[in-house]
Amino acid sequence: MPMIGWIFILVAVALVLGSLFMLRDSASKMYIPEDKLEKIRKRKAELEAQEKADDD
């Protein structure tokens, strides 16, 4: 394989790995305010109660 082919492969691998590392680093930076978290928890509890009632 010519040298330019190896360069293209290395660049492609570097781009994929770089984007995966950036995605991993940015995944935990999502900030949700406490009031929204409480609303989410209440809604989840309501849905679980509704599913339990539907199963009975």
Side-chain angles (χ1 to χ4, degrees), residues 6-56:
W6 287 109
I7 292 173
F8 280 135
I9 289 174
L10 288 175
V11 168
V13 169
L15 285 173
V16 169
L17 290 177
S19 62
L20 287 175
F21 283 125
M22 284 183 14
L23 182 63
R24 182 195 67 179
D25 290 342
S26 66
S28 64
K29 295 182 181 178
M30 191 169 106
Y31 172 73
I32 300 176
E34 190 62 37
D35 58 335
K36 291 204 181 242
L37 280 175
E38 187 62 33
K39 188 176 180 181
I40 291 169
R41 288 184 190 114
K42 285 181 183 177
R43 179 67 179 147
K44 181 180 176 184
E46 288 174 5
L47 287 174
E48 287 175 354
Q50 184 180 6
E51 288 177 359
K52 186 177 179 183
D54 288 345
D55 288 342
D56 291 340

